[in-house]
Amino acid sequence: MDAGAKIYIAGHNGLAGSAIKQKMEENGYNNLIFRTSSELDLRVQKDVDSFFKEENPEYVIIAAARVGGINANNSFPADFISDNLKIQTNVIDAAYRNGISKLLFLGSTCIYPRECPQPIKEEYFLTGPLEETNQWYAVAKIAGIKLCQAYRRQYGFNAVAVMPTNLYGPNDNFDLKTSHVLPALIRKFHEAKVDDRPEVTVWGSGKPRREFLYIEDFANVILFLLKHYDDEEIINVGVGEDITIADLASLIADVIGYKGSITYDPGMPDGTPRKLTDVSKLHSLGWQAGTSLRDGISKTYNWYQTNL
Ligand code: GDP
């Protein structure tokens, strides 16, 4: 992949896409192309087709998706399944028809069965029932993986599907209704500290375990996989360590310097009990995450204070 290769990053304004864009620019890639969602609605097939004919990129990264935390998934199931199915189908098909060299599709670890053994190996894909709260998103992402595999088998199209664990960092969504847990807790603890409130409420029991990958590490690994991974099999992208939501809340409170108490709201769903990726495949290729969770939270909090 030379520095002048024309690379289309779909979803360049989101958490994942913006970090990939920045990392590529830092690494000297100078022919990146983007469209905002108002310039190009990826759910509209004819517009996606025209865009690919006009721009004819050589590489495509699909970081565009309708995403959100446990409450957003539960509240907008139709949008989550329908938008994601359309976006990925339109982009993968147009990319293949326009003869691009390689496509990288971003999935998610929620594609794995709710009760699968931990840590989660890639081979557990499609071996059991899904978690209910994010099944809509998961089914769309599963279809995206299968699209990549099907186009590879039938047409020899080099499409790879990467399964990142929960991502966090600058540019995340900090909206308390639709965000994921980590940015939500940064905001909750920050506001409680500023307003001198005695307690912060965390959803659910605090017992579920989640794994978090800092977005800059994620952008690094995407660049690495674009260069070094060309297989039909999906590949996990994570750190290989997880933490309970209760411990995450204490860690965030500590980084922010919040001294009040933490309470739990059992009326909100816990979701999957545990989601820890097995990253041996990624490690065997020679890549490992470098940012500790405390450092990542601290950098994200600095960004939050400056930007929001
Ligand atoms: P998930 O990984 O798909 O379950 O998505 P989330 O990141 O939204 O939630 C992860 C876990 O954090 C769930 O058990 C939530 O109930 C819990 N959680 C605790 N407080 C919050 C909060 O304020 N916002 C969100 N989104 N999740 C929270």
Side-chain angles (χ1 to χ4, degrees):
M1 210 170 59
D2 60 67
K6 195 171 198 179
I7 304 168
Y8 169 47
I9 305 173
H12 70 288
N13 279 327
L15 172 67
S18 61
I20 295 169
K21 173 176 180 263
Q22 190 183 337
K23 187 58 61 185
M24 289 197 138
E25 286 168 349
E26 283 166 16
N27 279 270
Y29 291 94
N30 54 29
N31 199 5
L32 308 177
I33 52 170
F34 329 101
R35 290 292 184 279
T36 61
S37 49
S38 52
E39 287 165 345
L40 173 63
D41 185 341
L42 294 172
R43 295 169 301 183
V44 181
Q45 188 186 12
K46 67 175 179 22
D47 294 352
V48 176
D49 284 346
S50 309
F51 165 74
F52 270 85
K53 280 201 189 84
E54 192 183 303
E55 287 287 358
N56 200 21
E58 202 180 334
Y59 293 86
V60 172
I61 299 165
I62 309 186
R66 178 173 284 271
V67 295
I70 198 162
N71 190 49
N73 261 273
N74 247 343
S75 311
F76 309 106
D79 295 349
F80 271 81
I81 190 163
S82 166
D83 287 355
N84 287 312
L85 282 171
K86 286 177 196 155
I87 292 169
Q88 66 204 25
T89 307
N90 292 342
V91 177
I92 292 169
D93 187 66
Y96 158 65
R97 287 186 191 288
N98 284 277
I100 70 148
S101 302
K102 181 169 181 176
L103 177 141
L104 190 146
F105 171 70
L106 293 182
S108 158
T109 50
C110 68
I111 54 124
Y112 291 113
R114 174 187 157 91
E115 304 289 348
C116 76
Q118 306 283 325
I120 307 170
K121 293 182 195 300
E122 287 88 352
E123 69 208 49
Y124 302 157
F125 179 45
L126 290 179
T127 54
L130 297 168
E131 154 64 23
E132 286 254 319
T133 50
N134 53 25
Q135 57 180 311
W136 324 101
Y137 180 74
V139 165
K141 288 292 180 185
I142 289 169
I145 295 167
K146 288 293 168 193
L147 275 169
C148 290
Q149 295 176 337
Y151 276 69
R152 176 183 291 277
R153 285 204 193 171
Q154 189 172 339
Y155 303 123
F157 180 46
N158 190 8
V160 299
V162 173
M163 300 309 117
T165 191
N166 300 40
L167 305 173
Y168 72 100
N171 259 329
D172 209 339
N173 168 17
F174 288 84
D175 178 285
L176 291 181
K177 286 204 183 81
T178 58
S179 66
H180 281 280
V181 60
L182 197 147
L185 294 186
I186 287 183
R187 178 166 177 177
K188 284 184 180 175
F189 284 111
H190 171 76
E191 290 180 351
K193 181 183 156 188
V194 170
D195 299 343
D196 210 11
R197 275 187 246 138
E199 62 176 47
V200 164
T201 305
V202 172
W203 295 351
S205 65
K207 290 187 184 135
R209 302 183 70 93
R210 293 289 183 275
E211 175 187 9
F212 298 94
L213 176 65
Y214 187 58
I215 201 65
E216 219 182 303
D217 287 343
F218 166 77
N220 271 322
V221 76
I222 292 304
L223 208 56
F224 176 84
L225 292 173
L226 267 176
K227 292 179 192 158
H228 301 294
Y229 192 72
D230 291 307
D231 209 83
E232 174 182 311
E233 291 307 317
I234 59 176
I235 181 164
N236 288 340
V237 162
V239 292
E241 277 169 35
D242 63 354
I243 180 171
T244 63
I245 297 301
D247 286 344
L248 175 74
S250 303
L251 177 60
I252 294 176
D254 191 46
V255 169
I256 290 180
Y258 176 73
K259 307 273 186 246
S261 59
I262 302 172
T263 56
Y264 291 89
D265 176 1
M268 293 303 279
D270 269 345
T272 308
R274 194 174 185 198
K275 245 190 314 189
L276 170 65
T277 55
D278 182 318
V279 280
S280 4
K281 191 165 159 179
L282 185 61
H283 286 182
S284 72
L285 291 175
W287 191 89
Q288 243 167 302
T291 310
S292 72
L293 186 54
R294 176 177 278 274
D295 284 352
I297 291 170
S298 179
K299 287 183 189 177
T300 309
Y301 182 47
N302 287 342
W303 182 89
Y304 174 79
Q305 285 176 294
T306 319
N307 291 276
L308 293 170

